[in-house]
Amino acid sequence: MKLFKKATLVLGSALTLAAVGVLTQTTTVQAQEGTITFINHKTDWEGNGKWDEYIAEFNELYPDVEVKIETITDYAGQIKTRMNTEQYGDVLMLPADINPEDFHYFFESLGEKEALSDTYLGLNDRSFDGVQYGIPTQLNATGMVVNRKVFEDAGITEFPKTTEEFIEALKTIKENNPEVTPLYTNYAAGWTLSNWDFARSGVSGNPDFTNEMTTDTAPFEDGKTMNEIYRLLYDVANQGLIEADPTTTDWEQSKVDLANGKIGIMVLGSWAVPQVQDANPENAEHIAFFPFPMTAEDGNQYLAVGGDYNLAINVHSENKEAARAFLDWLIQDSNYAEENGGISPVIGAEMPASLASAEESGVILLEENPAEPGKEALFSQINDYSQLGVGSTDNEKQRIIDAAIGNTSETFEDMMAEFNERWAEAIEANQ
């Protein structure tokens, strides 16, 4: 019996992919000329020549626009340093932890959110006061990238739907082959741990989950979604179902090991599926994507869907028209989203193959609702004040792992109590 039959994905009301027209280019092809720099994080595409292919295709439409590609390995860290000057390219990936009220200092307005929402999904995160400053390159589902053969070899024919079943499955994998790491945390990479936070709306099945966190003074309380997510991270580490020494993990090697069956699962976005498949194309069919092993109160399983890096234009750019032409082309006309295992932000686009392996019963894709007008920055402000780094930094997730494997003497309960205190203080400070 083959594991995890292909499924038709049921789309939640928050993510309706109805066909509509594509946004008209803001400027004509003939009007574009000049040189622009596109700064991004796709170092692999610079190395394999993919960016060269894309720019050549773009230049078929815009022959008088020269696009210089600059890739940065530690993009999130280095681009913010560059933004202390005016020299951060013309088009760039908008960093995830810029406060929305500060967008206008750094980025050109791309138009009114209401108008753009007729064409694009995933606009909530990079808008402020009705103005859009970024458009996602793709939407990703957050869940688990799985080597199905590892499960099949251990005799597991259905992906778990509860945390109890999940932990038992990981134990079975380890017993079947001690050389396999059931779940790889990628602790040392750091940023990878944020995916545990990104799963929160999918685990809860609540499109208003993040908005409601801004008024919940105890979101890490026992029985609540954030507690359940962190408890699973703690338990798999505590029971020896992760890598032997998390502090020495290797992100690039982990993709190879997952492709080759040395790892069973990594918690990541759907964007990671093609990267893992490319690590060993001969095993590509073994790599699939599934939701967290948790079922919402309504009995459904959900995959949280959110924007990947958004494309933005430097407010100081001297070639904004050319920059906008490239931004529009990359989102609307190129195969960027598809080739990176994501959902195109353009309404009406087809679902990617990376999501085709969800449960046969159907999984609902859930995009969170936007914050109320005037409160777009509230979650970020509370999150920053608390320094818990929900979806933005890795320190507290690493702390949970350290406690679980005995590197510290902290208990899970004490950490969650402290998290609640810090969150409550942050809410009070930002009222």
Side-chain angles (χ1 to χ4, degrees), residues 13-28:
S13 59
L15 184 60
T16 304
L17 299 183
V20 298
V22 174
L23 179 69
T24 302
Q25 295 278 349
T26 56
T27 48
T28 63

Side-chain angles (χ1 to χ4, degrees), residues 204-244:
S204 68
N206 178 7
D208 286 306
F209 185 83
T210 297
N211 293 330
E212 292 175 2
M213 278 188 73
T214 63
T215 59
D216 185 353
T217 56
F220 304 95
E221 192 172 63
D222 186 34
K224 292 185 177 180
T225 294
M226 293 303 301
N227 185 287
E228 291 179 351
I229 292 171
Y230 287 171
R231 168 63 79 175
L232 181 60
L233 176 60
Y234 180 91
D235 285 346
V236 295
N238 182 252
Q239 298 186 42
L241 302 172
I242 64 169
E243 57 269 36

Side-chain angles (χ1 to χ4, degrees), residues 49-360:
K50 181 66 71 173
W51 278 131
D52 292 336
E53 296 176 14
Y54 269 55
I55 300 310
E57 185 177 346
F58 172 74
N59 284 146
E60 291 180 5
L61 289 176
Y62 298 91
D64 296 324
V65 178
E66 179 184 3
V67 181
K68 295 182 178 180
I69 298 292
E70 181 178 347
T71 60
I72 302 177
T73 300
D74 178 21
Y75 184 84
Q78 292 189 34
I79 195 65
K80 286 185 292 184
T81 300
R82 293 273 292 273
M83 287 168 60
N84 289 320
T85 72
E86 296 182 1
Q87 306 304 313
Y88 46 96
D90 299 279
V91 181
L92 69 157
M93 305 295 198
L94 200 160
D97 54 353
I98 304 297
N99 287 327
E101 66 267 28
D102 294 332
F103 287 160
H104 70 283
Y105 293 121
F106 302 104
F107 310 113
E108 184 75 4
S109 166
L110 300 180
E112 295 296 315
K113 178 186 176 184
E114 183 176 358
L116 291 171
S117 64
D118 289 337
T119 300
Y120 296 114
L121 301 165
L123 299 181
N124 297 338
D125 293 341
R126 302 295 175 256
S127 65
F128 185 74
D129 199 22
V131 178
Q132 198 68 37
Y133 294 94
I135 298 174
T137 52
Q138 65 190 62
L139 274 71
N140 297 314
T142 300
M144 296 189 167
V145 182
V146 178
N147 187 309
R148 294 183 295 187
K149 191 173 187 302
V150 169
F151 279 73
E152 291 169 355
D153 288 347
I156 303 166
T157 58
E158 292 186 10
F159 194 76
K161 290 187 177 182
T162 69
T163 55
E164 294 80 10
E165 292 174 351
F166 182 72
I167 290 174
E168 286 304 311
L170 297 190
K171 289 180 178 178
T172 300
I173 289 170
K174 187 172 183 178
E175 291 168 0
N176 178 70
N177 187 349
E179 299 300 315
V180 174
T181 299
L183 186 148
Y184 196 85
T185 68
N186 260 304
Y187 174 110
W191 60 267
T192 50
L193 291 171
S194 290
N195 287 284
W196 291 79
D197 292 327
F198 296 149
R200 59 188 183 269
S201 60
V203 170
S204 68
N206 178 7
D208 286 306
F209 185 83
T210 297
N211 293 330
E212 292 175 2
M213 278 188 73
T214 63
T215 59
D216 185 353
T217 56
F220 304 95
E221 192 172 63
D222 186 34
K224 292 185 177 180
T225 294
M226 293 303 301
N227 185 287
E228 291 179 351
I229 292 171
Y230 287 171
R231 168 63 79 175
L232 181 60
L233 176 60
Y234 180 91
D235 285 346
V236 295
N238 182 252
Q239 298 186 42
L241 302 172
I242 64 169
E243 57 269 36
D245 183 3
T247 62
T248 61
T249 57
D250 185 327
W251 161 242
E252 292 298 334
Q253 184 62 41
S254 74
K255 292 184 285 186
V256 176
D257 290 345
L258 180 57
N260 291 332
K262 295 181 180 180
I263 293 171
I265 290 175
M266 293 197 293
V267 176
L268 294 166
S270 54
W271 55 264
V273 172
Q275 291 192 29
V276 176
Q277 291 174 327
D278 288 346
N280 186 348
E282 293 183 2
N283 292 341
E285 65 180 10
H286 301 321
I287 306 304
F289 190 79
F290 294 94
F292 257 62
M294 298 180 185
T295 302
E297 291 183 1
D298 62 6
N300 292 313
Q301 277 195 300
Y302 295 85
L303 279 170
V305 176
D308 199 299
Y309 269 121
N310 278 228
L311 290 180
I313 296 174
N314 182 348
V315 72
H316 306 292
S317 170
E318 296 181 358
N319 290 295
K320 292 177 182 176
E321 288 189 354
R324 182 59 186 264
F326 180 72
L327 181 152
D328 287 337
W329 177 86
L330 190 62
I331 293 172
Q332 297 176 11
D333 301 323
S334 79
N335 292 324
Y336 184 93
E338 179 182 356
E339 292 199 64
N340 284 283
I343 303 166
S344 171
V346 179
I347 294 173
E350 294 183 2
M351 296 299 293
S354 59
L355 295 177
S357 298
E359 286 278 89
E360 186 177 16

